[in-house]
Amino acid sequence: MAAEVKGPSDIAKPTGLANFLGPPKLLGRDDKLATLVIKVDEGSPHLKIIDQGVCLKCIEKPCTVTCPVENYKVEDNGHTTIYWSNCIECGTCRIICPFHNISWRYPSGGFGMTYRYG
Ligand code: SF4
Ligand code: SF4
């Protein structure tokens, strides 16, 4: 039968390396983004809106709220703009667009996202 834990003082303290390193730190979004490097292929956007007319009829515009780096903006004229050079290639917009209105490919070889470490 397992021993009953009555309070925080009963919980085993970390020892050795775990004690030396301390509790793991949870990274926020900006900390995680800081671990990435993006090499932009300036002349060759890898994401494009296929038909702005479709975006004008898209009421909920899910791309504007699901991209983790907020690459989609609705301009004053109602058109949707992709700030593709910040893309971290997660693929969310490709899946979330209800009208399959985004032309999506990975950046050409040698361009795009890599990790700063490792
Ligand atoms: S979800 Fe698709 S159709 Fe809607 S605004 Fe975004 S790109 Fe345009
Ligand atoms: S692939 Fe991800 S990061 Fe890139 S534009 Fe789409 S949702 Fe944003």
Side-chain angles (χ1 to χ4, degrees), residues 85-106:
S85 58
N86 294 331
C87 178
I88 58 171
E89 304 163 33
C90 72
T92 303
C93 57
R94 180 185 201 176
I95 295 168
I96 208 74
C97 176
F99 302 103
H100 308 289
N101 195 30
I102 301 165
S103 169
W104 199 108
R105 65 172 173 81
Y106 283 107

Side-chain angles (χ1 to χ4, degrees), residues 49 51 54-56 58-64 72 74 80 93 96-102:
I49 300 286
D51 184 348
V54 173
C55 292
L56 289 172
C58 176
I59 303 300
E60 297 189 337
K61 302 188 187 319
C63 60
T64 61
Y72 287 81
V74 179
T80 303
C93 57
I96 208 74
C97 176
F99 302 103
H100 308 289
N101 195 30
I102 301 165

Side-chain angles (χ1 to χ4, degrees), residues 1-43:
M1 186 171 167
E4 185 181 351
V5 176
K6 293 176 181 153
S9 61
D10 296 330
I11 298 172
K13 299 278 188 291
T15 58
L17 183 61
N19 185 40
F20 174 74
L21 293 175
K25 294 188 178 77
L26 295 176
L27 296 179
R29 186 193 72 158
D30 290 344
D31 292 326
K32 289 178 182 170
L33 290 175
T35 67
L36 306 178
V37 177
I38 299 174
K39 187 174 177 190
V40 179
D41 188 1
E42 293 289 353

